[in-house]
């Protein structure tokens, strides 16, 4: 009777252990705005990117992913988008992520809080190959007083990325 219990328990541990794995996804969100003269407005744009990032990471976490992220940064002449993607892919590979998602948040260049476009690209975290890319155009006035100002955009991006990775 002891051997049968041992084999049954061993089989249960093997089966339940194989069901406990989750996919890991690594995000990097970059922001694009160049001509913001007002320092306070510049800080508001950075804050809105953090809110966007938080809502997006929460959406994927609630879908069952292990979520990591690289720090948000601004794309400019010193930080080109290709260099940022290369570094993000390196981080995703070192962190053993299954996927790397690069998201670019484009704000208009005047001093208003207007989100114009969100571009996203999904890469295989192990070999660096691009799986799919897309964009969402919007003319969204950002209200930093509302934590839910990005929910519909992050929901749409989440659905598109999940379809791209077939999760």
């Amino acid at each position: 009777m002891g051997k049968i219990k041992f084999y049954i328990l061993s089989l249960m541990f093997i089966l339940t252990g194989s069901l406990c794995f989750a996919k890991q996804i690594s995000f990097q969100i970059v922001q694009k705005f160049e001509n913001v003269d007002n320092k306070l407005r510049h800080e508001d744009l950075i804050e809105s990117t953090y809110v966007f990032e938080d809502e997006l990471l929460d959406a994927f976490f609630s879908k069952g992913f292990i979520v990591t992220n690289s720090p948000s940064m601004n794309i400019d002449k010193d930080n080109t988008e290709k260099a940022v993607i290369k570094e993000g892919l390196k981080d995703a590979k070192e962190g053993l992520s299954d996927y790397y998602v690069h998201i670019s948040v484009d704000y208009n260049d005047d001093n208003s809080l207007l989100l114009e476009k969100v571009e996203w690209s999904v890469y295989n975290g192990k070999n660096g190959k691009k799986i799919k890319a897309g964009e969402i155009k919007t003319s969204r006035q950002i209200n930093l007083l509302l934590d839910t100002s990005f929910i519909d955009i992050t929901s749409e991006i989440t659905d598109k990325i999940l379809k791209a990775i077939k999760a």
Side-chain angles (χ1 to χ4, degrees), residues 45-78:
L45 291 174
I46 291 171
E47 181 64 28
S48 75
T49 301
Y50 288 145
V51 170
F52 177 83
E53 178 181 47
D54 188 46
E55 287 184 19
L56 190 66
L57 296 179
D58 286 347
F60 276 91
F61 183 77
S62 68
K63 296 286 185 184
F65 284 87
I66 298 169
V67 182
T68 63
N69 67 314
S70 299
S72 297
M73 54 184 14
N74 191 28
I75 295 295
D76 53 27
K77 62 184 176 203
D78 298 327

Side-chain angles (χ1 to χ4, degrees), residues 27-32 44-60 67 69 72-73 101-107 115-121 134-138 140 142-144 146-158 161:
F27 284 91
Q28 176 141 41
I29 299 181
V30 297
Q31 52 208 4
K32 294 181 181 177
D44 286 346
L45 291 174
I46 291 171
E47 181 64 28
S48 75
T49 301
Y50 288 145
V51 170
F52 177 83
E53 178 181 47
D54 188 46
E55 287 184 19
L56 190 66
L57 296 179
D58 286 347
F60 276 91
V67 182
N69 67 314
S72 297
M73 54 184 14
V101 179
H102 177 82
I103 296 181
S104 174
V105 183
D106 293 348
Y107 298 98
L115 176 64
E116 292 183 333
K117 177 172 58 169
V118 178
E119 298 173 41
W120 55 270
S121 300
E135 70 177 42
I136 298 172
K137 291 188 180 196
T138 180
R140 170 71 51 97
I142 305 304
N143 184 349
L144 292 174
L146 297 175
D147 287 342
T148 59
S149 56
F150 292 109
I151 283 182
D152 56 337
I153 297 172
T154 56
S155 167
E156 186 176 345
I157 290 172
T158 302
I161 291 173

Side-chain angles (χ1 to χ4, degrees), residues 7 17 31 80 88 99 114 120 133 151 156 163 165:
Y7 289 126
Q31 52 208 4
T80 65
Y99 303 102
L114 186 67
W120 55 270
I151 283 182
E156 186 176 345
K163 284 179 187 172
I165 61 177

